[in-house]
Amino acid sequence: MSSATVSLFGSFALAAVGAAGLAYTLTHPGVLAGFVERAKATSGLTQQASLGQTNGALTSTEEAPRRQSGVVTLPAGDYGHFQAEADINGRDIGVMVDTGASLVALTYEDARRAGISVMPSDFTHTAQTANGIARVAPVTIQRISIGDITVRNVAGVVSERGASERTLLGMSFLGRLSRVEMRGGTLVLQE
């Protein structure tokens, strides 16, 4: 087994663990809140220390602007899905945020638009999708940006032509952010 294959399997495993942890955290917010409270207590932080300071006035993070440097807030769309325009290798591509996807999964057509070319012989792996098992080509995406957030050298896959309808922004991107938080009908991403 080549070192590239071992590295790819390692990336898949790391992304799967990250997806499971994020899914658990999103479905059990009390666990994370308890952890944060214990961390504050052991580090001596007070409620005031957890609030932002602006011109001498304290403001809670709830009152912060919807768009800050390195922070993007996405409203839920149809059926509760979070969609965005991402800049992938310099091309605007519509994506759906999918915490259940281990990797960024590009449609064949979106990959071509982003300058990623794959040959039929590149479809060496399979992936479980909502529509069943699909053949995919592993790739490294040079750059993905959403708003002020940019992540470089992102592991991804390209699906066969016509096999998928939408590019999915999975955990290989989301797992590299410092914060991914669902709050009401919004998704907050922070670099």
Side-chain angles (χ1 to χ4, degrees), residues 108 118-125 135-138 158-161:
Y108 183 86
V118 291
M119 305 294 292
S121 60
D122 294 330
F123 292 92
T124 57
H125 291 75
R135 288 180 1 121
V136 295
V158 176
S159 59
E160 289 183 297
R161 186 187 311 255

Side-chain angles (χ1 to χ4, degrees), residues 1-63:
M1 190 178 298
S2 73
S3 63
T5 302
V6 170
S7 177
L8 181 63
F9 283 131
S11 295
F12 279 125
L14 182 59
V17 168
L22 179 63
Y24 184 82
T25 301
L26 292 175
T27 58
H28 297 83
V31 172
L32 184 58
F35 175 76
V36 170
E37 290 305 315
R38 284 191 302 278
K40 283 183 190 177
T42 58
S43 67
L45 290 176
T46 65
Q47 181 66 22
Q48 278 191 331
S50 67
L51 300 175
Q53 181 110 14
T54 308
N55 297 333
L58 292 174
T59 58
S60 76
T61 55
E62 293 296 322
E63 297 168 0

Side-chain angles (χ1 to χ4, degrees), residues 8-157:
L8 181 63
F9 283 131
S11 295
F12 279 125
L14 182 59
V17 168
L22 179 63
Y24 184 82
T25 301
L26 292 175
T27 58
H28 297 83
V31 172
L32 184 58
F35 175 76
V36 170
E37 290 305 315
R38 284 191 302 278
K40 283 183 190 177
T42 58
S43 67
L45 290 176
T46 65
Q47 181 66 22
Q48 278 191 331
S50 67
L51 300 175
Q53 181 110 14
T54 308
N55 297 333
L58 292 174
T59 58
S60 76
T61 55
E62 293 296 322
E63 297 168 0
R66 290 184 59 86
R67 183 171 170 116
Q68 306 168 320
S69 181
V71 177
V72 174
T73 303
L74 302 174
D78 295 339
Y79 307 106
H81 294 209
F82 296 98
Q83 299 184 37
E85 281 294 314
D87 176 321
I88 300 178
N89 293 345
R91 303 285 185 189
D92 287 337
I93 294 175
V95 299
M96 184 170 70
V97 178
D98 187 351
T99 58
S102 299
L103 301 168
V104 173
L106 297 160
T107 67
Y108 183 86
E109 296 75 17
D110 285 347
R112 289 192 54 100
R113 286 183 45 223
I116 300 170
S117 297
V118 291
M119 305 294 292
S121 60
D122 294 330
F123 292 92
T124 57
H125 291 75
T126 57
Q128 179 66 45
T129 70
N131 298 327
I133 303 287
R135 288 180 1 121
V136 295
V139 296
T140 299
I141 304 162
Q142 291 176 350
R143 180 175 51 87
I144 300 176
S145 298
I146 294 181
D148 295 333
I149 297 171
T150 299
V151 178
R152 298 184 184 282
N153 300 318
V154 180
V157 293

Side-chain angles (χ1 to χ4, degrees), residues 169-191:
L169 195 64
M171 291 306 297
S172 58
F173 174 86
L174 298 171
R176 306 239 326 253
L177 303 180
S178 65
R179 179 170 65 135
V180 177
E181 176 185 343
M182 253 192 266
R183 192 182 317 151
T186 62
L187 181 67
V188 179
L189 307 176
Q190 184 172 4
E191 190 166 21

